[in-house]
Amino acid sequence: MQVSTLKARELTITLAFTVVYAVLTVALAPISYGIVQVRVSDALIPLSIIFGFPAVIGVTIGCALANIISPVPGLVFIDVIFGSIANFAASYAAYRLRKNEKLACIVATLIVTFIVGTYLPILFSFPIYIGWATIFIGSAISIGMLGYVLVQVLKRMKIS
Amino acid sequence: MAYSFLKAFTFKKGETPIHRLHPLSKMLFALIMTVIALIQQNFTIFMIALTVTLAVAAIARVLRRLLQSYRLLISLSALIFIANFVTLWDLDFSVSMVLRLLLMASAFSVTFMTLNPDEISVIFSRIRAPLDLGFIFSSSLRFIPTLTRETEMIIFAQRARALELDSGNVFNRVKNYIPILVPVIVCAIRRSQQLAEALETRGFNPGKPRTYAEQPSFSLLDAVFNIVIVIMLLIIVYIIFFSSIHLLTFSEIVSLIMQLPYSTLI
């Protein structure tokens, strides 16, 4: 028996985050400075501080969806699994640490760095420190910096 | 800003045998190709699997789109090749790692280029995933064009107010995205509240089982396709792990090709 467990309001907030994450990932070309790529959509990960658990699920499914709608659906195929896991873990951690927003953003950055920066080198066998370094710079900017500012701005607007 | 991706992703209805396959068969194809890509590192096997994938793409008439999408893989391929070659100094292995990326990317591309978005919720229901997941997946696909248009409009509006997206150092460039992200999120949240009301008025009732109007079924074509793909996997596993057949590597093939005109000259 398939039953829905979320309330309509939670379901649609999740939907909103899924779509926004996917659209931003694909529509805004990553800001790249050589090897370092900043994925702007990752700034949505710490928003679970404001919007709670639906946002966590939203960025998780959004990551998988982004891979499906991108012109190279296969490009980040493994992202469908590990990228989603990374987003879920990071966003959930931020949600649990929502009392301390700075700490929440830092932890989220580290989680993404650790998961994504580990599976890419393992899969295509290049040194792990290269993976960690490049992913860390990118996510520190998107999650740590942009995400934190976004949380501050949206909090003042009281839209949730 | 390139929004051409919308055209690229929009699944095109097709009447090819590949399009008619059951969604789960298409997923199985991508998964088996990924397994083949991950369990071995031989050039010959990669080329065989890649040929099969391109053949499936050709049958589905998406070969040209697939080959065009390779352009976007160039930078990642270069990173993989250079990082491997510099650290290991092994040409065969570096080439194989690039082929591993190409094979996995191609297989998933073919699958998603031929998978109707509506079928995704069928997959979710077949593997007994929570209903919410299938609902979110299929309705997000419906909302993506709407939100893309909205995002586009917001970007134009902010540009008209003299927002520059592509100037300054990396920190400034990232900061410039805030005037775009905030309205996009606010719009999406507002829309989600309207949608929630619409759902409730249409009798969306969490806690009650949902029914489907249509359910695709497995056909003979699915059976043949799945059996062929699985047999291919088994043969490759047998050759790699249980037989002593020597498979040519990239450098061996290159040297063979190099020798040909040379030997004919002599």
Side-chain angles (χ1 to χ4, degrees):
Chain A
M1 274 311 155
Q2 284 194 304
V3 290
S4 179
T5 46
L6 289 173
K7 290 198 186 80
R9 183 62 45 106
E10 294 166 332
L11 196 66
T12 54
I13 294 256
T14 311
L15 185 63
F17 272 92
T18 308
V19 181
V20 172
Y21 189 91
V23 167
L24 291 182
T25 305
V26 184
L28 302 180
I31 307 171
S32 48
Y33 259 70
I35 200 170
V36 177
Q37 298 221 327
V38 181
R39 206 191 240 195
V40 178
S41 52
D42 276 354
L44 297 180
I45 290 175
L47 287 186
S48 56
I49 294 171
I50 305 177
F51 296 98
F53 200 66
V56 178
I57 309 284
V59 293
T60 308
I61 308 178
C63 180
L65 190 71
N67 296 293
I68 294 171
I69 64 165
S70 86
V72 235
L75 174 56
V76 251
F77 49 83
I78 293 284
D79 242 32
V80 174
I81 303 161
F82 291 105
S84 300
I85 293 174
N87 278 10
F88 178 82
S91 193
Y92 186 66
Y95 170 61
R96 293 305 293 264
L97 295 168
R98 60 189 178 278
K99 295 262 157 58
N100 187 341
E101 287 155 16
K102 271 190 191 137
L103 181 69
C105 291
I106 293 169
V107 171
T109 308
L110 293 179
I111 290 176
V112 170
T113 306
F114 181 73
I115 298 179
V116 181
T118 306
Y119 81 70
L120 275 185
I122 287 178
L123 207 59
F124 299 109
S125 85
F126 53 85
I128 276 189
Y129 56 86
I130 297 183
W132 280 3
T134 53
I135 304 288
F136 175 73
I137 300 170
S139 17
I141 296 172
S142 62
I143 305 175
M145 213 178 84
L146 195 57
Y148 181 72
V149 176
L150 212 53
V151 168
Q152 301 305 317
V153 174
L154 287 173
K155 222 175 169 186
R156 255 181 281 144
M157 297 178 71
K158 296 201 175 76
I159 54 162
S160 61
Chain B
M1 205 69 53
Y3 288 100
S4 53
F5 85 90
L6 260 186
K7 270 176 246 150
F9 113 79
T10 40
F11 155 84
K12 289 192 188 73
K13 279 215 163 82
E15 278 306 309
T16 68
I18 304 294
H19 283 84
R20 278 197 294 271
L21 286 175
H22 191 278
L24 281 179
S25 307
K26 296 174 196 168
M27 284 310 290
L28 184 77
F29 170 73
L31 289 178
I32 284 193
M33 284 302 165
T34 309
V35 170
I36 291 175
L38 289 175
I39 57 170
Q40 48 80 43
Q41 301 144 7
N42 182 271
F43 181 75
T44 317
I45 302 237
F46 272 126
M47 287 326 261
I48 292 170
L50 207 53
T51 313
V52 171
T53 310
L54 294 182
V56 171
I59 296 171
R61 294 174 193 272
V62 292
L63 185 59
R64 184 183 298 191
R65 270 172 70 204
L66 180 66
L67 293 178
Q68 280 170 349
S69 74
Y70 281 172
R71 269 180 311 176
L72 294 148
L73 288 169
I74 291 173
S75 62
L76 187 56
S77 304
L79 169 71
I80 292 169
F81 182 81
I82 294 167
N84 270 307
F85 194 65
V86 168
T87 50
L88 294 171
W89 212 243
D90 184 344
L91 182 66
D92 285 332
F93 189 72
S94 312
V95 170
S96 292
M97 287 302 110
V98 173
L99 287 175
R100 177 178 281 183
L101 170 77
L102 273 189
L103 177 58
M104 291 198 278
S106 314
F108 272 86
S109 292
V110 172
T111 296
F112 284 124
M113 281 172 186
T114 55
L115 191 65
N116 189 330
D118 297 337
E119 293 176 337
I120 289 174
S121 60
V122 174
I123 294 182
F124 279 110
S125 81
R126 271 300 172 93
I127 59 174
R128 305 204 173 271
L131 174 62
D132 298 322
L133 210 65
F135 175 81
I136 290 167
F137 236 97
S138 47
S139 40
S140 349
L141 285 167
R142 182 246 164 274
F143 273 102
I144 281 166
T146 317
L147 209 95
T148 310
R149 230 167 289 135
E150 231 163 46
T151 309
E152 203 175 12
M153 242 155 22
I154 288 166
I155 292 175
F156 285 146
Q158 299 289 43
R159 278 202 169 153
R161 298 182 179 111
L163 173 78
E164 280 186 54
L165 280 181
D166 309 314
S167 64
N169 63 22
V170 71
F171 291 102
N172 273 329
R173 281 169 66 176
V174 170
K175 227 168 54 193
N176 287 342
Y177 277 99
I178 290 174
I180 289 175
L181 288 179
V182 172
V184 168
I185 294 168
V186 172
C187 275
I189 297 291
R190 224 176 264 158
R191 199 173 277 280
S192 80
Q193 285 162 354
Q194 294 166 355
L195 185 69
E197 279 155 23
L199 274 175
E200 277 163 357
T201 53
R202 281 164 181 76
F204 174 83
N205 192 355
K208 274 202 176 160
R210 120 166 229 186
T211 52
Y212 291 88
E214 273 179 46
Q215 285 274 35
S217 55
F218 279 98
S219 64
L220 186 67
L221 191 68
D222 285 296
V224 173
F225 183 78
N226 290 342
I227 289 170
V228 168
I229 296 293
V230 170
I231 286 178
M232 184 181 150
L233 173 70
L234 293 178
I235 291 176
I236 288 178
V237 167
Y238 175 77
I239 290 177
I240 291 179
F241 295 107
F242 302 105
S243 77
S244 52
I245 302 171
H246 178 66
L247 293 158
L248 290 176
T249 62
F250 177 68
S251 51
E252 282 165 357
I253 288 177
V254 169
S255 60
L256 268 180
I257 295 169
M258 299 288 269
Q259 273 168 11
L260 276 179
Y262 187 68
S263 53
T264 46
L265 276 178
I266 294 171

